[in-house]
Structures are given as C-alpha cells and as structure tokens.
Amino acid sequence: MRYLRYLLIPLACCAGGLAIVFGLQGLEAAWITLVLLLLEISLSFDNAVVNARVLDQLSPGQQRFFLTWGLVIPVFGVRFAGPLVMVSLAGGVGMGEALEAALRQPARYRALLELAEPRILAFGGMFLLMVFLRYFFDEAKTLHWVRPLERRLSAAGRIEALEVALALSLLLILAAMLPAELRAEVMISGVIGLVLQLLSTSLAQAFGDEEQAGARLAAGGGLVSLLYLELLDASFSLDGTIGAFAITQNLGLILTGLGLGALFIRSLTLMLSREKALDQLVYLEHGAHYAIGSLGLLMLSGIVLAQHHLHLPEWVTGLIGIVLLLLSLADSLRQRGFPRHSR
C-alpha cells in the first residue's frame, strides 16, 4: 500500500483524462486511450528503472533538478512531437500541415497515413525488435523469467551481432513478400530504425555500466549529468512513441494516451528509487521487453497484412502487452519471498 501514495496524482489525472475522452469521442476512443496509457507505462518501465538506478548516485539537489526539469524534454517533447514528426517525414509534408490535417481534415490525414504507414511500421517494428533482441541476447544476463527460452537467448549472445543479423534477415524476408514498389522504402525505413536503436544504445553504453555512469554523473554534476540523463531518457522514450502506431492512427488519442502515461514516469522513478522496489518486482523489466518484442513483430506483420486488406484489431494488439506485463508482475510477487539465487 505504501507504493500507492506515489501514484495518486497520476491516477487522478488519468481518470480525468479518460472521462474527457469518453465524453467527447465515446467508449471505443476511451478504451484505446486506456490501452495506450497502459502500453506507455509498460514500455516506460525500463526507463524508470534506469532513471532510478542513476538517481541513487546523484546528490539530493541533482535529483530534484532532474525530477522537476530534466524529464520535460524526453517525456513530453519526444512523446508529443514524435508521432507528428513521423507522419510529417513519411508523408512528405510540413509539421504544421500534418497537424492541420490531423485536427481538421481527417480524410487528408488518413491519406497521409496510408502513404506513410509502411515506412512507419517498418521503422518502428525494427526499432522495437532490436530493443527486444538486445535485451535478451546478453551473455552476462543471469536473471531469467521464461528460463528455457531466455537461457538459450543469453547463451546465443556470445555470438557477436547475432541479433543484428536476425533482425536484418527478418526484414529481407518481409521485403520479399511485398510488392516491388514498396520493397525499397520498407527496407530503407527498417534499416534506419535498426541503426537508430543501435546508435542510441551504443551512445548510452559509452558512459560505461550503471555504476560507472553513476560515478561519473556524481563527479561531473551540472550539464554533464543532465546531458547524459536526457540522452538515455530520450532513447527509451522513443519506444512508446513508435509502439503507439501499432495501437491506433488517431493522433489525438496517441497524444492523450502517451501524455497521461508519461505522468507515471516521474512517480515510478521516485517509487523505485526510494522504496527499492526492483529488489522485489524482479521480472517486470522482462515483461516490458516481451511486450516491446511483440509490438515490433506485430508492426512488421501489419505491413504484409495491409497488402491483403487485413488489420489486427487495436484492442488485441494492446491487450497482448498488458497481459505480458501483468504476468511478469504476478510472477515477481510470487518470487518475493525466495532468495535471489533460487530464481
């Protein structure tokens, strides 16, 4: 029950936001917004984990500065501007024009989305798939949730760049299943998503492991601390922004759902840091990454399904991630009483 006090304000804001969406657009829109909100929370959990671990190494003044101002750019900037930028770039129009179409010209915005959809799905699907693969293809990983699978994936991590080869192979197979006029743009978009994920992760790892990074932050302070945390936080924030397109193409609902979900990041960071909750809820990060991998595969498969005029219902897509998160939470709670080496 002590965890609940950290979440009271975000819960109240979410309840108010969902009520407004329900009143303006109906039950289906409110449900989609709720799915986006829960998806954002699940995908942002690894973000909160890293923030909490780094915060433990900072001085109280640095912690307050980051929690009040340091989250503004990645949390709200990436999540609010991200979807609009994707549509703008893929559709070949200015951001103002894309926003105008989204808010006042639904038919034109729908046409822009149809043009942009294969590129958005390829970019996002590959980005999310790489997040999933790089988390589990790690030979140093010793804590496993789905042990038979994760032990094999961890052992396979000894082969350098195997996850990159697997992701690119999947992208080649996907492109071969598409009409000739779509292959080049899907390949290019997918490779860009893969490279961006590799680059963002590699830049963050250049600061060293978590203990080294924390020591550097505490020693450097000021601008160095903020720049590192902004880089790390923004790279994690991109997951939820991309994954939202697997749920819905309604920009208003995306902005609302991700915005409400983002309110939980600060509260989760505080809770994890002050209550040491990660020592008990050990599988939540696993569940979040399974959700990320599932969304990535669904986004990639959605490109092929669209060629046959098929579409997976949005609520099914979102429900998969929610179920995975709840299962990992349940297993974490069951394992709390056992010593760490028995897991």
Side-chain angles (χ1 to χ4, degrees), residues 57-320:
Q57 306 296 326
L58 298 181
S59 68
Q62 290 173 326
Q63 290 182 11
R64 287 192 298 272
F65 183 82
F66 175 68
L67 289 170
T68 52
W69 299 106
L71 291 175
V72 172
I73 295 174
V75 169
F76 295 102
V78 173
R79 284 165 176 81
F80 282 131
L84 197 60
V85 170
M86 288 180 187
V87 173
S88 174
L89 292 177
V93 299
M95 284 189 61
E97 190 175 351
L99 181 60
E100 177 73 14
L103 298 178
R104 301 183 181 179
Q105 302 172 9
R108 184 163 182 268
Y109 181 64
R110 190 158 45 247
L112 286 173
L113 282 174
E114 290 176 359
L115 177 65
E117 185 178 40
R119 282 170 279 186
I120 291 174
L121 293 179
F123 173 85
M126 288 297 291
F127 185 96
L128 294 176
L129 183 62
M130 282 301 301
V131 172
F132 168 81
L133 291 175
R134 296 201 77 187
Y135 178 76
F136 288 106
F137 278 67
D138 179 6
E139 62 177 318
K141 189 172 179 294
T142 57
L143 179 64
H144 304 303
W145 179 32
V146 184
R147 293 185 183 88
L149 173 62
E150 293 181 22
R151 283 174 177 167
R152 288 174 172 80
L153 294 179
S154 179
R158 300 190 187 101
I159 304 175
E160 187 175 358
L162 177 60
E163 68 275 15
V164 178
L166 286 176
L168 287 175
S169 298
L170 181 60
L171 183 61
L172 286 171
I173 295 172
L174 173 67
M177 301 171 65
L178 298 174
E181 62 271 16
L182 281 179
R183 289 174 186 168
E185 63 183 51
V186 166
M187 282 293 298
I188 292 173
S189 299
V191 169
I192 291 174
L194 182 147
V195 170
L196 178 60
Q197 199 284 324
L198 290 175
L199 182 62
S200 62
T201 304
S202 298
L203 286 175
Q205 289 177 343
F207 286 85
D209 61 24
E210 288 166 359
E211 291 184 3
Q212 293 171 332
R216 295 182 189 185
L217 286 171
L223 183 61
V224 175
S225 302
L226 183 60
L227 287 177
Y228 171 73
L229 284 171
E230 295 292 354
L231 169 66
L232 200 59
D233 217 38
S235 66
F236 278 118
S237 299
L238 191 57
D239 299 350
T241 303
I242 293 171
F245 282 99
I247 307 299
T248 183
Q249 294 178 343
N250 186 317
L251 185 61
L253 296 184
I254 289 176
L255 296 180
T256 303
L258 295 187
L260 292 174
L263 294 175
F264 279 83
I265 290 182
R266 183 181 183 277
S267 297
L268 284 174
T269 301
L270 281 173
M271 182 185 74
L272 294 173
S273 178
R274 294 179 179 176
E275 302 293 340
K276 308 300 180 184
L278 291 177
D279 293 338
Q280 302 180 45
L281 307 178
V282 294
Y283 299 136
L284 271 177
E285 195 172 1
H286 296 70
H289 279 84
Y290 279 116
I292 289 172
S294 299
L295 277 174
L297 291 174
L298 288 171
M299 292 177 79
L300 293 174
S301 62
I303 303 173
V304 177
L305 291 175
Q307 303 307 308
H308 301 282
H309 306 289
L310 298 174
H311 176 67
L312 191 66
E314 290 125 346
W315 65 268
V316 174
T317 307
L319 190 60
I320 292 173

